[in-house]
Amino acid sequence: MIATGIGLHNFAEGLAIGNSAAQGELSLAVLLIIGFGLHNATEGFGIVAPLAAEGERPSWTTLLLLGLIGGGPTFVGTVVGQHLVNDTLSIAFLGLAAGSILYVVIELLAVARKTGRKNLTTGCIFLGLVLGFATDAVVTAAGA
């Protein structure tokens, strides 16, 4: 379920990236690519953490399949988003990306609550927000 939620989220990310690039909003597209790339680098942990918590050891085939389910939709969404250029759709795509990541965050917070790592979770969420703002500052300073 988490891989599917991440996949839907990543599809929405692709829609937002493709739509921003197609509208000529290259600075927004670059910011989205950098920001999404940074947080996507850790999505595999969110997908396999529930398996590890239950003591299950997935096969390499299962991991590959989960990776395709979670990551593949980004490419598809980018292609689709590049062909659907419209201000209303752009807002909808960004809203879809935000809503789907909320689903993933809620699921991961439930796992963190079960393990009793609230301080670690809170610190990492804060660090993620700081890194997001820092990325935006760097991209803006670079003139993108």
Side-chain angles (χ1 to χ4, degrees):
M1 290 303 295
I2 290 175
T4 302
I6 288 174
L8 290 171
H9 165 72
N10 286 343
F11 179 74
E13 286 178 353
L15 290 172
I17 291 167
N19 194 261
S20 298
Q23 287 185 338
E25 296 287 336
L26 295 183
S27 62
L28 177 58
V30 168
L31 178 64
L32 292 173
I33 290 168
I34 292 170
F36 293 155
L38 287 172
H39 91 261
N40 286 350
T42 62
E43 286 179 347
F45 296 119
I47 293 171
V48 299
L51 297 173
E54 293 189 12
E56 216 176 296
R57 187 178 178 109
S59 68
W60 285 106
T61 305
T62 301
L63 292 175
L64 178 64
L65 181 61
L66 289 172
L68 287 173
I69 291 169
T74 306
F75 176 75
V76 176
T78 300
V79 172
V80 171
Q82 207 168 18
H83 290 85
L84 299 175
V85 181
N86 177 306
D87 286 341
T88 303
L89 285 176
S90 179
I91 292 167
F93 293 161
L94 291 169
L96 182 59
S100 57
I101 195 60
L102 278 174
Y103 167 78
V104 174
V105 167
I106 289 167
E107 288 295 316
L108 295 176
L109 287 174
V111 171
R113 186 173 40 253
K114 286 180 187 176
T115 62
R117 301 282 186 162
K118 291 179 184 177
N119 290 337
L120 177 64
T121 303
T122 302
C124 289
I125 289 171
F126 178 73
L127 180 61
L129 286 169
V130 169
L131 289 173
F133 284 117
T135 301
D136 183 34
V138 169
V139 169
T140 302

